Amino acid sequence: MAADTRRESDVSRESDSGRGSTAGGSAGNAESHSLGPVPLPAASRFRPLLGLLVPAAVVVVWHLIVATGTIPAYQLPTPLRVAETLYGMGASGELWGHVAITVQRVVLGAGLGIAVGTVFGTATGLSRTASDLLDPLLQSLKNIPSLAWVPLFLLWFGIGESAKVLLIAVGSFFPVYLNLSTGIAAVDEELLEVAEVYDLGRVESLRRVVFPAALPDLLVGIRGGVGLAWMFVVAAELIAASQGIGFLLSDGRTLARPDIIVGSILLFAFLGNCSDVAVKEVRDRVVGR
Amino acid sequence: MSSGADPVLAVDDLRKRYDDTVALDGVDLAVADGEFVAVVGPSGCGKSTLLRVLSGLEAEFGGRVAVDGTDVCDGGSDAVGMVFQEPRLLDWADVRENIAVGLPADVDPDAPAARERVDDLIETVGLGGFADSHPDELSGGMAQRVSLARGLAYNPSVLLLDEPFSALDRLTKADQQDHLLDVWEARGTTVVLVTHDVEEAVYLADRVVVLGGQPGTVESVVDVDIDRPRERADTELVALRREVTAVLGR
Ligand SMILES: Nc1ncnc2c1ncn2[C@@H]1O[C@H](COP(=O)(O)OP(=O)(O)OP(=O)(O)O)[C@@H](O)[C@H]1O
Ligand SMILES: [Mg+2]
């Protein structure tokens, strides 16, 4: 039920924006003429580029602020300086080690968190008893901020890779768990009755009705989980790492190199965006027809 | 044609309440093997509720309901298939997959014979060419026919149909009614059909059960002793139609 309404509202939102761009086009009653809408695809093709306008303006203003000395360069480097630093580190090969280890941690941690979240979400979604037992605990654990876990994980698992991967796994576990658990529990009762009347049996009704119905929720959870994995990798690397983009961040502070700090932040933004777009793409493939 | 010695469906003093609403109060009904029974009655009189009890979806009710001598609470409902009042399709699955949900559990839906059967059903409900469409690409009447095909795929010994033709135009409706009669005659299925359409009820059924009242009870049972195949415009049928309509209007 919940999934249905959400999908419907998504659709209506899309068609709303479609209508919006029509209205942005030439004539009001152009709809009746077959030639009316023709110029529109060209206009809407450039629409995504609008999103670049504000960031470009920000970069220009940023440059001006630093160039005019409003903010001193030792606190904020110029955009060009940041680009040079990143390029230099890339060319010398130093950057790739940091990027690779951070990506590896995120992939392992998010993978683990998503896997465990799927298991727990399925269990609590299907079984009332499992939900009564586990859900109150997990609901309260989810509010613990990422940084609060760090000392405990260092104590338990040392400063090695496992502490970081596990910390990230904790972060990506919760969105997956919460979304899947509610998604499964909210599967349309009417469809479950169909499965019952046609004697699908427990396994088949899970495979053919419950899981497909909850799949959109799982994917929403995975998207959130991957997002949180990037939050948690920073927490892990800032405090206990000798490599990684988070380490670069803190190293930049120690070395008083704002260009490295800003460069690292931009790297996080870029990589986080890439993973988000990738997950969203998968979701749209699977769910959106 | 009316209830024989060994009814396939035996409903004895059925009472069903939802919290404060009493939906059915003392319904008795016996349906013989291979009989076609139509149930008519005003909206809200408990027709769907009756079918839900027969198909084993309601855990709690008063009275006794048995299919082939086995109580519905003890698995008697396994032999029963139902086409719901709403299409209830899986909106992520295409038409073929939705119909395959109805295939009996021991049939592998990917086996060639099963696929052929599903494709045949798609043709008989007049949806040829829509096998790969999804429910959100179908009209209400098309979705209803997918749901009907799913029920036919199940091939149960007792088939319950809850207003299966309500969203269809006159011509499609007549086609599907005749197809249902074909299936019923060929397979010897016992059919209980709920409908608001009195013409449909007397054309299809051996007996028309009129439910009525709040809470619902059996108001009247009208036998349709007219030879098959029947003519829709048959004067006797028209007379029976008046009779059922008169009972409904009381
Ligand atoms: N799940 C439910 N919870 C509470 N009351 C219900 C429920 N299902 C049905 N009822 C009540 O039971 C009565 C009979 O409902 P039912 O759906 O069987 O009617 P119906 O004869 O099928 O009507 P229609 O022709 O409109 O489909 C109604 O008064 C309805 O309000
Ligand atoms: Mg009904």
Side-chain angles (χ1 to χ4, degrees), chain A residues 77-137:
Chain A
T78 62
L80 201 61
R81 182 72 210 286
V82 173
E84 277 169 8
T85 305
L86 282 179
Y87 180 78
M89 288 170 73
S92 74
E94 184 194 350
L95 186 62
W96 307 121
H98 293 295
V99 170
I101 192 75
T102 297
V103 169
Q104 180 192 316
R105 283 167 187 154
V106 167
V107 169
L108 290 177
L112 183 64
I114 289 168
V116 178
T118 305
V119 171
F120 276 68
T122 306
T124 53
L126 290 178
S127 150
R128 189 63 210 276
T129 315
S131 170
D132 287 347
L133 281 172
L134 293 170
D135 199 57
L137 174 70

Short mmCIF file of all heavy atoms in Angstrom, two decimals, chain A residues 77-137:
data_model
loop_
_atom_site.label_atom_id
_atom_site.label_comp_id
_atom_site.label_asym_id
_atom_site.label_seq_id
_atom_site.Cartn_x
_atom_site.Cartn_y
_atom_site.Cartn_z
N PRO A 77 42.28 28.63 0.10
CA PRO A 77 43.04 28.76 -1.15
C PRO A 77 42.11 29.13 -2.29
O PRO A 77 40.89 28.95 -2.19
CB PRO A 77 43.60 27.35 -1.35
CG PRO A 77 42.59 26.46 -0.70
CD PRO A 77 42.00 27.24 0.44
N THR A 78 42.65 29.62 -3.39
CA THR A 78 41.81 29.89 -4.56
C THR A 78 41.40 28.56 -5.19
O THR A 78 42.09 27.55 -4.99
CB THR A 78 42.57 30.71 -5.61
OG1 THR A 78 43.70 29.94 -6.05
CG2 THR A 78 43.02 32.04 -5.07
N PRO A 79 40.30 28.58 -5.94
CA PRO A 79 39.86 27.34 -6.60
C PRO A 79 40.96 26.76 -7.48
O PRO A 79 41.15 25.54 -7.53
CB PRO A 79 38.67 27.79 -7.46
CG PRO A 79 38.26 29.10 -6.93
CD PRO A 79 39.40 29.70 -6.20
N LEU A 80 41.68 27.64 -8.12
CA LEU A 80 42.74 27.18 -9.03
C LEU A 80 43.82 26.43 -8.26
O LEU A 80 44.32 25.39 -8.68
CB LEU A 80 43.34 28.41 -9.75
CG LEU A 80 44.07 28.07 -11.04
CD1 LEU A 80 43.10 27.44 -12.03
CD2 LEU A 80 44.71 29.33 -11.62
N ARG A 81 44.13 26.97 -7.10
CA ARG A 81 45.17 26.37 -6.25
C ARG A 81 44.75 24.95 -5.85
O ARG A 81 45.55 24.01 -5.87
CB ARG A 81 45.36 27.27 -5.01
CG ARG A 81 46.42 26.81 -4.05
CD ARG A 81 47.82 27.03 -4.63
NE ARG A 81 48.77 26.03 -4.13
CZ ARG A 81 49.27 26.04 -2.90
NH1 ARG A 81 48.95 27.02 -2.06
NH2 ARG A 81 50.09 25.09 -2.50
N VAL A 82 43.50 24.80 -5.50
CA VAL A 82 42.98 23.48 -5.10
C VAL A 82 43.11 22.51 -6.26
O VAL A 82 43.58 21.38 -6.11
CB VAL A 82 41.51 23.59 -4.65
CG1 VAL A 82 40.93 22.19 -4.41
CG2 VAL A 82 41.39 24.42 -3.40
N ALA A 83 42.72 22.99 -7.43
CA ALA A 83 42.80 22.13 -8.62
C ALA A 83 44.23 21.74 -8.89
O ALA A 83 44.53 20.58 -9.19
CB ALA A 83 42.20 22.86 -9.82
N GLU A 84 45.16 22.69 -8.76
CA GLU A 84 46.58 22.41 -8.98
C GLU A 84 47.07 21.35 -8.00
O GLU A 84 47.78 20.41 -8.39
CB GLU A 84 47.40 23.68 -8.80
CG GLU A 84 47.44 24.56 -10.04
CD GLU A 84 48.03 25.94 -9.73
OE1 GLU A 84 48.55 26.13 -8.61
OE2 GLU A 84 47.96 26.81 -10.62
N THR A 85 46.71 21.53 -6.73
CA THR A 85 47.16 20.57 -5.72
C THR A 85 46.66 19.17 -6.05
O THR A 85 47.43 18.20 -6.01
CB THR A 85 46.63 20.99 -4.33
OG1 THR A 85 47.05 22.33 -4.09
CG2 THR A 85 47.16 20.07 -3.26
N LEU A 86 45.35 19.08 -6.36
CA LEU A 86 44.79 17.76 -6.68
C LEU A 86 45.49 17.18 -7.90
O LEU A 86 45.83 15.99 -7.93
CB LEU A 86 43.28 17.87 -6.94
CG LEU A 86 42.38 17.99 -5.71
CD1 LEU A 86 40.92 18.12 -6.12
CD2 LEU A 86 42.56 16.79 -4.78
N TYR A 87 45.71 18.02 -8.90
CA TYR A 87 46.34 17.54 -10.12
C TYR A 87 47.75 17.05 -9.83
O TYR A 87 48.16 15.97 -10.28
CB TYR A 87 46.36 18.65 -11.18
CG TYR A 87 47.00 18.20 -12.46
CD1 TYR A 87 46.28 17.41 -13.37
CD2 TYR A 87 48.32 18.54 -12.76
CE1 TYR A 87 46.88 16.97 -14.54
CE2 TYR A 87 48.92 18.10 -13.92
CZ TYR A 87 48.19 17.31 -14.82
OH TYR A 87 48.78 16.87 -15.96
N GLY A 88 48.47 17.84 -9.01
CA GLY A 88 49.84 17.47 -8.66
C GLY A 88 49.89 16.13 -7.94
O GLY A 88 50.69 15.25 -8.27
N MET A 89 48.97 15.96 -6.97
CA MET A 89 48.96 14.70 -6.22
C MET A 89 48.56 13.55 -7.12
O MET A 89 49.03 12.41 -6.96
CB MET A 89 48.00 14.81 -5.05
CG MET A 89 48.51 15.71 -3.93
SD MET A 89 47.24 16.05 -2.70
CE MET A 89 47.16 14.49 -1.88
N GLY A 90 47.68 13.85 -8.07
CA GLY A 90 47.27 12.81 -9.01
C GLY A 90 48.41 12.41 -9.91
O GLY A 90 48.67 11.24 -10.14
N ALA A 91 49.13 13.42 -10.39
CA ALA A 91 50.22 13.16 -11.33
C ALA A 91 51.35 12.39 -10.65
O ALA A 91 51.94 11.48 -11.23
CB ALA A 91 50.73 14.48 -11.90
N SER A 92 51.64 12.72 -9.40
CA SER A 92 52.71 12.03 -8.70
C SER A 92 52.29 10.63 -8.24
O SER A 92 53.12 9.86 -7.76
CB SER A 92 53.17 12.85 -7.49
OG SER A 92 52.20 12.77 -6.47
N GLY A 93 51.00 10.35 -8.35
CA GLY A 93 50.49 9.03 -7.98
C GLY A 93 50.12 8.93 -6.51
O GLY A 93 49.52 7.96 -6.07
N GLU A 94 50.45 9.95 -5.72
CA GLU A 94 50.17 9.91 -4.28
C GLU A 94 48.67 9.80 -3.99
O GLU A 94 48.24 9.09 -3.09
CB GLU A 94 50.73 11.19 -3.65
CG GLU A 94 50.61 11.25 -2.14
CD GLU A 94 50.86 12.67 -1.62
OE1 GLU A 94 51.30 13.52 -2.42
OE2 GLU A 94 50.59 12.89 -0.43
N LEU A 95 47.87 10.49 -4.81
CA LEU A 95 46.44 10.58 -4.55
C LEU A 95 45.74 9.22 -4.66
O LEU A 95 44.85 8.91 -3.86
CB LEU A 95 45.82 11.56 -5.56
CG LEU A 95 44.35 11.91 -5.37
CD1 LEU A 95 44.14 12.60 -4.04
CD2 LEU A 95 43.89 12.81 -6.51
N TRP A 96 46.17 8.42 -5.63
CA TRP A 96 45.39 7.23 -5.95
C TRP A 96 45.38 6.20 -4.82
O TRP A 96 44.40 5.51 -4.60
CB TRP A 96 45.89 6.60 -7.26
CG TRP A 96 45.90 7.64 -8.34
CD1 TRP A 96 46.98 8.05 -9.07
CD2 TRP A 96 44.80 8.43 -8.77
NE1 TRP A 96 46.63 9.06 -9.93
CE2 TRP A 96 45.30 9.32 -9.77
CE3 TRP A 96 43.46 8.52 -8.41
CZ2 TRP A 96 44.48 10.26 -10.41
CZ3 TRP A 96 42.65 9.45 -9.05
CH2 TRP A 96 43.17 10.30 -10.03
N GLY A 97 46.49 6.14 -4.09
CA GLY A 97 46.52 5.23 -2.94
C GLY A 97 45.46 5.60 -1.92
O GLY A 97 44.73 4.75 -1.42
N HIS A 98 45.36 6.93 -1.66
CA HIS A 98 44.36 7.39 -0.69
C HIS A 98 42.95 7.12 -1.19
O HIS A 98 42.10 6.63 -0.44
CB HIS A 98 44.54 8.90 -0.45
CG HIS A 98 45.82 9.24 0.24
ND1 HIS A 98 46.10 8.84 1.51
CD2 HIS A 98 46.90 9.95 -0.19
CE1 HIS A 98 47.30 9.28 1.86
NE2 HIS A 98 47.81 9.96 0.84
N VAL A 99 42.71 7.44 -2.45
CA VAL A 99 41.37 7.23 -3.00
C VAL A 99 41.01 5.74 -2.97
O VAL A 99 39.93 5.35 -2.54
CB VAL A 99 41.27 7.78 -4.44
CG1 VAL A 99 39.97 7.33 -5.09
CG2 VAL A 99 41.38 9.29 -4.44
N ALA A 100 41.99 4.92 -3.39
CA ALA A 100 41.71 3.49 -3.48
C ALA A 100 41.34 2.90 -2.12
O ALA A 100 40.37 2.15 -2.00
CB ALA A 100 42.91 2.75 -4.06
N ILE A 101 42.10 3.26 -1.08
CA ILE A 101 41.83 2.65 0.22
C ILE A 101 40.48 3.12 0.77
O ILE A 101 39.73 2.36 1.36
CB ILE A 101 42.98 2.93 1.22
CG1 ILE A 101 42.85 2.06 2.47
CG2 ILE A 101 43.04 4.37 1.63
CD1 ILE A 101 43.21 0.63 2.27
N THR A 102 40.16 4.41 0.53
CA THR A 102 38.87 4.91 1.01
C THR A 102 37.72 4.20 0.29
O THR A 102 36.76 3.76 0.92
CB THR A 102 38.77 6.43 0.80
OG1 THR A 102 39.77 7.06 1.58
CG2 THR A 102 37.41 6.95 1.21
N VAL A 103 37.84 4.09 -1.03
CA VAL A 103 36.79 3.41 -1.79
C VAL A 103 36.66 1.96 -1.33
O VAL A 103 35.55 1.44 -1.14
CB VAL A 103 37.08 3.49 -3.30
CG1 VAL A 103 36.15 2.57 -4.08
CG2 VAL A 103 36.94 4.92 -3.79
N GLN A 104 37.82 1.32 -1.09
CA GLN A 104 37.77 -0.08 -0.65
C GLN A 104 37.03 -0.20 0.67
O GLN A 104 36.19 -1.08 0.86
CB GLN A 104 39.20 -0.60 -0.50
CG GLN A 104 39.26 -2.05 -0.04
CD GLN A 104 40.66 -2.45 0.37
OE1 GLN A 104 41.62 -2.14 -0.31
NE2 GLN A 104 40.77 -3.13 1.51
N ARG A 105 37.32 0.72 1.61
CA ARG A 105 36.64 0.68 2.91
C ARG A 105 35.14 0.87 2.74
O ARG A 105 34.33 0.18 3.36
CB ARG A 105 37.20 1.77 3.82
CG ARG A 105 38.55 1.43 4.40
CD ARG A 105 39.21 2.64 5.03
NE ARG A 105 40.58 2.31 5.43
CZ ARG A 105 41.55 3.20 5.54
NH1 ARG A 105 41.31 4.48 5.28
NH2 ARG A 105 42.75 2.82 5.92
N VAL A 106 34.78 1.83 1.90
CA VAL A 106 33.34 2.09 1.71
C VAL A 106 32.65 0.88 1.09
O VAL A 106 31.58 0.46 1.53
CB VAL A 106 33.13 3.35 0.83
CG1 VAL A 106 31.69 3.44 0.36
CG2 VAL A 106 33.50 4.60 1.60
N VAL A 107 33.30 0.29 0.08
CA VAL A 107 32.68 -0.86 -0.60
C VAL A 107 32.51 -2.02 0.38
O VAL A 107 31.42 -2.60 0.50
CB VAL A 107 33.52 -1.28 -1.82
CG1 VAL A 107 33.05 -2.62 -2.35
CG2 VAL A 107 33.42 -0.22 -2.90
N LEU A 108 33.58 -2.34 1.11
CA LEU A 108 33.50 -3.46 2.06
C LEU A 108 32.49 -3.18 3.16
O LEU A 108 31.64 -4.01 3.48
CB LEU A 108 34.87 -3.75 2.66
CG LEU A 108 35.91 -4.36 1.71
CD1 LEU A 108 37.25 -4.52 2.43
CD2 LEU A 108 35.42 -5.70 1.17
N GLY A 109 32.61 -1.97 3.74
CA GLY A 109 31.73 -1.63 4.86
C GLY A 109 30.28 -1.57 4.45
O GLY A 109 29.41 -2.16 5.09
N ALA A 110 30.01 -0.87 3.33
CA ALA A 110 28.62 -0.76 2.87
C ALA A 110 28.09 -2.14 2.49
O ALA A 110 26.95 -2.48 2.81
CB ALA A 110 28.52 0.20 1.69
N GLY A 111 28.93 -2.95 1.83
CA GLY A 111 28.50 -4.29 1.46
C GLY A 111 28.10 -5.10 2.67
O GLY A 111 27.02 -5.71 2.71
N LEU A 112 28.94 -5.05 3.70
CA LEU A 112 28.65 -5.80 4.92
C LEU A 112 27.37 -5.27 5.59
O LEU A 112 26.49 -6.05 5.98
CB LEU A 112 29.84 -5.69 5.88
CG LEU A 112 29.74 -6.47 7.18
CD1 LEU A 112 29.68 -7.97 6.90
CD2 LEU A 112 30.95 -6.16 8.08
N GLY A 113 27.29 -3.94 5.70
CA GLY A 113 26.13 -3.33 6.35
C GLY A 113 24.84 -3.65 5.61
O GLY A 113 23.81 -3.96 6.21
N ILE A 114 24.90 -3.59 4.28
CA ILE A 114 23.71 -3.87 3.48
C ILE A 114 23.30 -5.34 3.65
O ILE A 114 22.11 -5.66 3.81
CB ILE A 114 23.96 -3.53 2.00
CG1 ILE A 114 24.05 -2.01 1.82
CG2 ILE A 114 22.85 -4.09 1.11
CD1 ILE A 114 24.58 -1.58 0.47
N ALA A 115 24.29 -6.23 3.65
CA ALA A 115 23.98 -7.65 3.79
C ALA A 115 23.32 -7.93 5.15
O ALA A 115 22.25 -8.57 5.22
CB ALA A 115 25.26 -8.48 3.64
N VAL A 116 23.94 -7.44 6.21
CA VAL A 116 23.39 -7.71 7.55
C VAL A 116 22.04 -7.00 7.70
O VAL A 116 21.09 -7.57 8.26
CB VAL A 116 24.38 -7.26 8.64
CG1 VAL A 116 23.79 -7.50 10.02
CG2 VAL A 116 25.69 -8.02 8.50
N GLY A 117 21.94 -5.79 7.18
CA GLY A 117 20.67 -5.05 7.25
C GLY A 117 19.56 -5.79 6.52
O GLY A 117 18.42 -5.80 6.97
N THR A 118 19.89 -6.42 5.40
CA THR A 118 18.89 -7.17 4.65
C THR A 118 18.41 -8.37 5.47
O THR A 118 17.20 -8.64 5.53
CB THR A 118 19.48 -7.66 3.31
OG1 THR A 118 19.99 -6.53 2.60
CG2 THR A 118 18.43 -8.35 2.47
N VAL A 119 19.35 -9.05 6.11
CA VAL A 119 18.97 -10.22 6.92
C VAL A 119 18.06 -9.79 8.08
O VAL A 119 16.97 -10.35 8.28
CB VAL A 119 20.23 -10.94 7.46
CG1 VAL A 119 19.83 -12.00 8.47
CG2 VAL A 119 21.02 -11.54 6.31
N PHE A 120 18.50 -8.78 8.82
CA PHE A 120 17.71 -8.35 9.98
C PHE A 120 16.38 -7.74 9.53
O PHE A 120 15.34 -7.96 10.16
CB PHE A 120 18.50 -7.33 10.81
CG PHE A 120 19.43 -7.97 11.80
CD1 PHE A 120 20.55 -8.67 11.35
CD2 PHE A 120 19.20 -7.89 13.16
CE1 PHE A 120 21.41 -9.28 12.24
CE2 PHE A 120 20.05 -8.49 14.06
CZ PHE A 120 21.17 -9.19 13.62
N GLY A 121 16.41 -6.97 8.47
CA GLY A 121 15.17 -6.35 7.98
C GLY A 121 14.16 -7.40 7.55
O GLY A 121 12.96 -7.27 7.81
N THR A 122 14.65 -8.45 6.88
CA THR A 122 13.76 -9.52 6.46
C THR A 122 13.17 -10.23 7.67
O THR A 122 11.95 -10.45 7.74
CB THR A 122 14.54 -10.55 5.60
OG1 THR A 122 15.17 -9.86 4.53
CG2 THR A 122 13.60 -11.59 5.04
N ALA A 123 14.04 -10.54 8.64
CA ALA A 123 13.57 -11.26 9.82
C ALA A 123 12.50 -10.46 10.57
O ALA A 123 11.42 -10.98 10.87
CB ALA A 123 14.74 -11.57 10.75
N THR A 124 12.77 -9.18 10.83
CA THR A 124 11.81 -8.40 11.61
C THR A 124 10.58 -8.06 10.78
O THR A 124 9.50 -7.90 11.32
CB THR A 124 12.43 -7.10 12.14
OG1 THR A 124 13.00 -6.40 11.03
CG2 THR A 124 13.51 -7.38 13.15
N GLY A 125 10.75 -7.96 9.45
CA GLY A 125 9.59 -7.68 8.61
C GLY A 125 8.63 -8.85 8.56
O GLY A 125 7.42 -8.68 8.51
N LEU A 126 9.19 -10.05 8.57
CA LEU A 126 8.35 -11.25 8.43
C LEU A 126 7.79 -11.72 9.76
O LEU A 126 6.66 -12.21 9.81
CB LEU A 126 9.17 -12.38 7.80
CG LEU A 126 9.55 -12.22 6.33
CD1 LEU A 126 10.39 -13.40 5.88
CD2 LEU A 126 8.29 -12.10 5.48
N SER A 127 8.58 -11.63 10.80
CA SER A 127 8.17 -12.22 12.07
C SER A 127 7.86 -11.16 13.10
O SER A 127 8.70 -10.33 13.44
CB SER A 127 9.27 -13.16 12.57
OG SER A 127 9.27 -13.20 13.98
N ARG A 128 6.66 -11.22 13.59
CA ARG A 128 6.23 -10.31 14.64
C ARG A 128 7.11 -10.46 15.87
O ARG A 128 7.52 -9.48 16.49
CB ARG A 128 4.76 -10.64 14.95
CG ARG A 128 4.04 -9.69 15.85
CD ARG A 128 3.94 -8.30 15.24
NE ARG A 128 3.93 -7.33 16.31
CZ ARG A 128 2.83 -6.98 16.97
NH1 ARG A 128 1.66 -7.46 16.62
NH2 ARG A 128 2.89 -6.13 17.97
N THR A 129 7.45 -11.71 16.20
CA THR A 129 8.27 -11.97 17.38
C THR A 129 9.65 -11.36 17.22
O THR A 129 10.16 -10.69 18.13
CB THR A 129 8.41 -13.49 17.60
OG1 THR A 129 7.13 -14.09 17.45
CG2 THR A 129 8.96 -13.79 18.98
N ALA A 130 10.28 -11.60 16.06
CA ALA A 130 11.61 -11.03 15.81
C ALA A 130 11.55 -9.52 15.91
O ALA A 130 12.45 -8.88 16.46
CB ALA A 130 12.11 -11.46 14.43
N SER A 131 10.48 -8.93 15.39
CA SER A 131 10.33 -7.48 15.43
C SER A 131 10.21 -6.99 16.87
O SER A 131 10.85 -6.03 17.28
CB SER A 131 9.12 -7.06 14.61
OG SER A 131 8.84 -5.71 14.81
N ASP A 132 9.36 -7.68 17.66
CA ASP A 132 9.19 -7.27 19.06
C ASP A 132 10.49 -7.39 19.84
O ASP A 132 10.78 -6.58 20.71
CB ASP A 132 8.11 -8.13 19.72
CG ASP A 132 6.71 -7.75 19.23
OD1 ASP A 132 6.61 -6.69 18.58
OD2 ASP A 132 5.76 -8.49 19.47
N LEU A 133 11.28 -8.41 19.50
CA LEU A 133 12.53 -8.63 20.21
C LEU A 133 13.60 -7.61 19.81
O LEU A 133 14.28 -7.05 20.65
CB LEU A 133 13.06 -10.04 19.91
CG LEU A 133 12.43 -11.20 20.66
CD1 LEU A 133 12.94 -12.52 20.11
CD2 LEU A 133 12.74 -11.10 22.15
N LEU A 134 13.77 -7.39 18.52
CA LEU A 134 14.93 -6.65 18.02
C LEU A 134 14.66 -5.18 17.76
O LEU A 134 15.55 -4.34 17.92
CB LEU A 134 15.43 -7.29 16.72
CG LEU A 134 16.03 -8.69 16.85
CD1 LEU A 134 16.26 -9.30 15.48
CD2 LEU A 134 17.35 -8.60 17.62
N ASP A 135 13.46 -4.87 17.30
CA ASP A 135 13.23 -3.53 16.78
C ASP A 135 13.46 -2.41 17.80
O ASP A 135 14.10 -1.42 17.48
CB ASP A 135 11.83 -3.42 16.17
CG ASP A 135 11.73 -2.24 15.24
OD1 ASP A 135 12.55 -2.19 14.28
OD2 ASP A 135 10.90 -1.36 15.47
N PRO A 136 12.96 -2.55 19.05
CA PRO A 136 13.19 -1.45 20.01
C PRO A 136 14.68 -1.15 20.20
O PRO A 136 15.09 0.01 20.21
CB PRO A 136 12.57 -1.99 21.30
CG PRO A 136 11.60 -3.02 20.86
CD PRO A 136 12.16 -3.64 19.63
N LEU A 137 15.50 -2.20 20.31
CA LEU A 137 16.94 -2.01 20.47
C LEU A 137 17.54 -1.30 19.26
O LEU A 137 18.23 -0.29 19.39
CB LEU A 137 17.62 -3.37 20.65
CG LEU A 137 19.15 -3.31 20.69
CD1 LEU A 137 19.60 -2.65 21.98
CD2 LEU A 137 19.76 -4.69 20.55
#
